Every structure is written in C-alpha cells, then in structure tokens.
Amino acid sequence: EEKTLLFATSTCPNCKMAEQFLNKAGIAYEKILADKNPDLAEQYDIHQAPTLVVVLGGEVEKIVNLSNIKAYTEKAAK
C-alpha cells in the first residue's frame, strides 16, 4: 500500500505552501487536518504542521517542516 498524507492545520500558512510544492511536483496526496483528526495525528505521532507522511510497503517516512517537504518534492519531481 502506498499513500502520502499531508498533515496540516486550517490556519497554517506553511501548510498551504507545502500543498503548492506537492501539486507542482505532481505528487498525489491526501490532506489531513490534524486538529480535526486527532486520532490519525496521534497514530502517526504528528507534532507539527506541515508534516508529510509517506507510507510505502509498510514503511512509514515522516518529513517534517516546510523546507524538508520542499526538498522531498524537488527530489521526487526529477
């Protein structure tokens, strides 16, 4: 199973920028509002937004904060 989850909050400006990076790189993702989905945020141990969670073959990779998400999208877009 492969999925990409963007944990965001409704008020976070960096989360909107993270979405733009993901969209520009053509990465399919599901946006999860951490404040509206506390159980899911807890399941993935999310402590700040934006955090990108990439689940690939049972492995979970967490990419925390905007600069790391940007670097990930630039790598993925190549």
Side-chain angles (χ1 to χ4, degrees):
E1 183 190 16
E2 182 182 345
K3 59 182 173 183
T4 302
L5 307 173
L6 177 65
F7 282 87
T9 63
S10 37
T11 55
C12 148
N14 283 348
C15 297
K16 290 180 177 56
M17 288 184 69
E19 284 186 75
Q20 289 173 356
F21 292 139
L22 288 161
N23 292 336
K24 197 174 145 196
I27 297 170
Y29 65 94
E30 186 184 341
K31 180 178 171 182
I32 312 248
L33 290 174
D35 40 359
K36 304 248 192 308
N37 296 278
D39 295 350
L40 208 53
E42 193 177 312
Q43 181 188 334
Y44 288 106
D45 196 29
I46 304 298
H47 295 286
Q48 67 182 86
T51 296
L52 196 63
V53 174
V54 181
V55 181
L56 188 57
E59 295 282 308
V60 177
E61 182 186 0
K62 274 200 318 193
I63 299 142
V64 181
N65 84 36
L66 186 62
S67 58
N68 291 333
I69 292 172
K70 181 174 193 265
Y72 171 81
T73 61
E74 286 169 351
K75 220 168 50 190
K78 290 195 171 112

